[in-house]
Amino acid sequence: MPDTATWTARTFLNVARGGLANATAGGRIHAIGGWTSDFATPLASVEAHQPGTGAWQLVAPMLTPRGNLGAAAVGNRIYAFGGFDTPDTGTDLAERFDRSANQWEQIRRLPVATTGSGAAALGGRIFVVGGGTNDGAVTSVRVYNPQTDTFSEAAPMPTARELLKVTELGGQLYAIGGVNDTGFLATVERYTPATDTWETVTPMSTPRGNPGVVSAAGRIFVVGGASDVSGSVVPLQSSEVFDPNTNTWQPVDALLPVGRGSLSAERGPGNVILAFGGFESGVTASARVEALPISQL
């Protein structure tokens, strides 16, 4: 990796938010929901990145404020699942955003209230993976079909966890990091839809809860997140990248200017990774946005 790899500041979000979700629809990245500082208030607001100017534009808010939700896009629509609708209670509510109409509407509820799930689209369906329920972290995988507005079940993950991230690469899903009753996890597991099976791949070098995760250029980039450092929960500045061809992780030389947990990452215009939102030290919600060229990685 070139020594010149560096994150550069971009236009900040309109609303500082940690524990947000993200999805790209219609060529625009969306920052969805999340929390204000110290988990005081869940957010309904949603903002879309404008590729031409790099600015963020507020669009229609969700019907239900929520943080630590799962979200993914199919076509021109974004789907949001579960999360906390108050600081203490999870929800089973799910919603769909139509970019053309700039409108959210409620869709079928999750089978059970779930917080901190990972979500990703694959084959026109959305996989809502893991999360937390009243029984703790779970292994369950709910599969939402937008055509029929129904859920089905896929094979469960080997490892129960919440505050994980899920991404699609090469027609497979990767469940990355998270938290369970053992603490922060470096665990990475891969799902193959043709056989409805999970397998464990090489873990990350650093356990990470709720990092930013994005697939690009045939690799998976994991940015920041929170971890246990000497007995304290610390937002991380580090990132790492997974190559499925070699089943190996490599560190990214560039450090985030400010460590952030519960942030989001997406592939942005100009072939960059955009890291946005999250919690800084002291659970301070962040509006920061930084970019790192993929060509430097």
Side-chain angles (χ1 to χ4, degrees):
M1 179 183 301
D3 292 337
T4 55
T6 185
W7 292 92
T8 58
R10 296 292 179 90
T11 303
F12 279 20
L13 299 169
N14 293 286
V15 179
R17 58 182 83 221
L20 68 160
N22 58 280
T24 294
R28 284 174 168 77
I29 299 166
H30 292 73
I32 306 162
W35 296 96
T36 60
S37 294
D38 297 313
F39 300 99
T41 306
L43 297 168
S45 65
V46 180
E47 43 193 306
H49 183 260
Q50 307 303 301
T53 64
W56 294 82
Q57 178 183 10
L58 288 165
V59 297
M62 290 184 290
L63 303 177
T64 303
R66 60 182 89 187
N68 296 121
L69 64 158
V74 174
N76 205 39
R77 292 175 172 177
I78 294 171
Y79 299 80
F81 301 94
F84 287 96
D85 58 354
T86 77
D88 300 313
T89 60
T91 181
D92 60 358
L93 288 173
E95 301 179 33
R96 174 175 60 210
F97 178 62
D98 188 327
R99 282 197 64 256
S100 300
N102 191 32
Q103 183 176 349
W104 288 87
E105 62 180 335
Q106 188 172 325
I107 57 176
R108 185 175 296 273
R109 293 170 180 259
L110 285 164
V112 63
T114 310
T115 60
S117 298
L122 179 63
R125 299 178 296 166
I126 298 173
F127 290 71
V128 184
V129 181
T133 70
N134 288 336
D135 297 321
V138 297
T139 61
S140 59
V141 179
R142 321 284 188 183
V143 186
Y144 179 74
N145 186 332
Q147 299 299 318
T148 59
D149 190 32
T150 57
F151 285 96
S152 58
E153 298 281 334
M157 284 187 300
T159 304
R161 46 188 154 150
E162 56 188 313
L163 299 179
L164 71 158
K165 291 292 178 70
V166 179
T167 189
E168 183 273 335
L169 181 64
Q172 297 173 302
L173 296 179
Y174 290 79
I176 297 172
V179 180
N180 62 21
D181 57 8
T182 69
F184 292 96
L185 301 171
T187 306
V188 181
E189 292 161 343
R190 178 169 59 203
Y191 175 76
T192 301
T195 57
D196 189 31
T197 56
W198 289 88
E199 61 182 322
T200 300
V201 299
T202 302
M204 294 180 289
S205 62
T206 300
R208 300 173 188 266
N210 218 1
V213 173
V214 58
S215 297
R219 294 173 291 171
I220 297 172
F221 299 87
V222 179
V223 182
S227 198
D228 188 315
V229 178
S230 300
S232 298
V233 176
V234 174
L236 300 172
Q237 291 180 268
S238 64
S239 304
E240 48 191 301
V241 57
F242 178 73
D243 186 339
N245 296 314
T246 59
N247 192 28
T248 57
W249 290 88
Q250 297 294 329
V252 172
D253 289 343
L255 297 177
L256 287 169
V258 175
R260 303 209 297 283
S262 296
L263 74 164
S264 285
E266 285 272 13
R267 186 172 186 167
N271 203 30
V272 300
I273 295 170
L274 284 182
F276 49 100
F279 287 121
E280 301 175 17
S281 60
V283 201
T284 300
S286 179
R288 298 182 68 97
V289 181
E290 285 109 14
L292 183 66
I294 294 172
S295 62
Q296 295 183 5
L297 303 175

